[in-house]
Amino acid sequence: MRKIKEEGEGKSPEERLKIIEQGGLKEICKVIHEQLEGELNQNKQYIIQLGCEAASIILKENDDSFPFAIEEGGIIDEIIYLLIKLPIENIKDIHIDPLANIINILTFKQKRVLQQIGIMKPLKKLLSSENENILNWTSQSIYKICYAVGYLEGGGKPNPLREKMERDGTVEQLFGIIQGDKYKDKYIRGFAACSVGVLYKSAAIPTQFYPAVILIKEQALGADPTLSQQSIKALEFVTEFN
């Protein structure tokens, strides 16, 4: 895997896609999968980290890599399994880097595919992380996927993810983050609020979640351009019903 990493470093997306087409990503997946069998000792976790690093390098800003990433037994399947299997305290930034690089390049339809193959389960788990970098990425990823799925439903139609995420407790977790004041990173609370907003597209927001809407409105008028822009988008969904 070091060889794949070295071959990919500093290369163009086209050159890195060639590495993927020649089986580099499959080789990484095979190694990660082998390490996930049985007990995850320290040596296995080290090898997995090397695999995640190599995968992250060849996937970064590589728009044409998605069909390879979503193959059965591909890197997305392996990272999902990894994040589910690892204890939450052992999950590091490097473990999510391949997914981060994939999500950054996806269209709305591709984000919906990612949701359909099971990405929301590990994302829910990651909401319990004490690592603010991971929480930042997780809250933004949940928002991006929920927004994409809701947008594709069209105007006046509810977000199909809402009821499932209510049932499995994800909405409550998001709201718990919104109510918390322990985070130094404002994007954690900010995108958790936006996630709640887009989930209640064309649906009545329960009164206990009104603080999320208040925060979204504050962010929409705030000075941070990222939070302002995304909060305005979330409000557009909220106002379809409320």
Side-chain angles (χ1 to χ4, degrees):
M1 287 188 296
R2 281 198 179 92
K3 181 181 178 183
I4 296 172
K5 174 190 168 185
E6 291 168 359
E7 288 177 350
E9 287 177 328
K11 299 294 175 60
S12 69
E14 292 77 16
E15 290 171 313
R16 288 184 277 111
L17 181 62
K18 190 172 182 180
I19 295 172
I20 294 173
E21 291 173 337
Q22 291 174 342
L25 192 58
K26 283 187 176 181
E27 183 178 336
I28 293 169
C29 292
K30 180 182 177 183
V31 173
I32 291 176
H33 187 80
E34 289 171 350
Q35 307 314 306
L36 288 171
E37 294 178 350
E39 184 180 351
L40 278 173
N41 57 38
Q42 192 170 0
N43 184 58
K44 285 185 173 183
Q45 291 193 44
Y46 173 71
I47 294 172
I48 287 170
Q49 288 184 41
L50 289 178
C52 289
E53 186 178 10
S56 179
I57 287 170
I58 61 176
L59 289 166
K60 188 175 182 180
E61 297 174 356
N62 203 330
D63 294 5
D64 295 321
S65 65
F66 185 65
F68 298 94
I70 62 166
E71 290 177 342
E72 186 174 354
I75 192 64
I76 292 177
D77 281 352
E78 295 301 335
I79 297 299
I80 287 174
Y81 182 40
L82 168 66
L83 295 177
I84 291 171
K85 185 165 184 176
L86 275 177
I88 189 69
E89 64 272 13
N90 290 355
I91 296 175
K92 302 178 181 179
D93 295 23
I94 190 63
H95 296 130
I96 64 173
D97 279 351
L99 276 181
N101 285 336
I102 291 168
I103 290 176
N104 284 341
I105 62 171
L106 298 187
T107 65
F108 283 177
K109 288 184 178 180
Q110 289 171 333
K111 288 187 178 81
R112 184 169 61 184
V113 170
L114 198 59
Q115 174 265 318
Q116 291 169 341
I117 63 177
I119 191 62
M120 303 310 286
K121 184 175 181 179
L123 290 182
K124 179 184 184 302
K125 177 180 177 178
L126 291 176
L127 287 174
S128 300
S129 176
E130 295 294 325
N131 182 323
E132 290 204 7
N133 289 334
I134 290 176
L135 277 174
N136 178 318
W137 176 81
T138 302
S139 61
Q140 290 200 47
S141 297
I142 289 174
Y143 165 72
K144 289 174 182 178
I145 292 169
C146 291
Y147 182 87
V149 172
Y151 180 89
L152 291 171
E153 286 298 301
K157 295 181 180 179
N159 195 319
L161 295 181
R162 174 177 54 82
E163 290 186 357
K164 181 178 180 180
M165 292 174 70
E166 285 176 333
R167 288 194 303 269
D168 70 13
T170 305
V171 175
E172 286 288 350
Q173 279 184 279
L174 290 167
F175 189 63
I177 288 173
I178 295 165
Q179 289 184 304
D181 59 0
K182 64 179 181 179
Y183 305 112
K184 295 179 181 178
D185 188 331
K186 63 184 176 182
Y187 290 107
I188 296 172
R189 291 182 68 241
F191 279 97
C194 288
S195 297
V196 172
V198 299
L199 282 171
Y200 283 90
K201 176 181 184 289
S202 298
I205 296 181
T207 55
Q208 67 265 33
F209 295 153
Y210 280 1
V213 179
I214 293 171
L215 179 55
I216 293 170
K217 289 179 178 179
E218 290 174 352
Q219 291 174 165
L221 298 173
D224 187 290
T226 299
L227 285 176
S228 177
Q229 182 182 36
Q230 302 310 319
S231 294
I232 290 170
K233 289 182 177 181
L235 283 175
E236 289 173 353
F237 277 17
V238 171
T239 54
E240 285 186 16
F241 182 94
N242 298 276

